[in-house]
Amino acid sequence: KEIASSSGDQTIRLWNARNGRKISTLKGHTGSVFSVCFSSDGQKLVSSSGDKTIRIWDWYKRQILFTFEGHSAVVWSSVFNFLDDKVVSASMDGTLKVWRKDETGTCIKVRTLRGHEHAAYHACFTRDGRYIVSGS
């Protein structure tokens, strides 16, 4: 079992949950990392940052697989849906964005959701993937 932590030093750290030892450090963001979340199969991580990006990582290989860009402010959180084929992000710009990769592997924004008067701090999919819940 592993634990992932986000950090103000622009990194993500992975820890062994049994003994507390650090496994690795992931570098790639150029701003503080505010959230990190495992995919449901445990193979990937999604992170959100002050650099206004969302990144998907292969944490075993310690490499960035995809970078989503499109928010105009800090991205506070991002999570996978339960099928691991979409990501929702919540930003200081007050929007939620739903992302996926297309058949060529290009990262695309599926839609932008507006409605928060202020920053959106968190969002997640319901288990069936039909709805997104968010908080500001």
Side-chain angles (χ1 to χ4, degrees), residues 5-32:
S5 63
S6 56
S7 178
D9 69 359
Q10 306 175 3
T11 66
I12 298 163
R13 289 187 178 83
L14 290 140
W15 309 87
N16 181 305
R18 291 182 182 89
N19 62 25
R21 290 192 182 125
K22 185 172 75 168
I23 299 168
S24 64
T25 301
L26 304 177
K27 297 179 182 180
H29 280 291
T30 58
S32 295

Side-chain angles (χ1 to χ4, degrees), residues 77-123:
S77 71
S78 54
V79 296
F80 289 101
N81 67 351
F82 286 92
L83 297 175
D84 296 332
D85 63 349
K86 291 181 185 161
V87 168
V88 64
S89 57
S91 172
M92 182 71 117
D93 65 15
T95 67
L96 308 178
K97 293 188 186 289
V98 180
W99 311 85
R100 69 172 175 81
K101 58 183 174 145
D102 68 13
E103 56 281 346
T104 67
T106 302
C107 300
I108 61 170
K109 178 182 57 156
V110 176
R111 68 178 45 140
T112 298
L113 305 170
R114 297 180 187 352
H116 288 281
E117 291 183 22
H118 303 288
Y121 291 104
H122 189 75

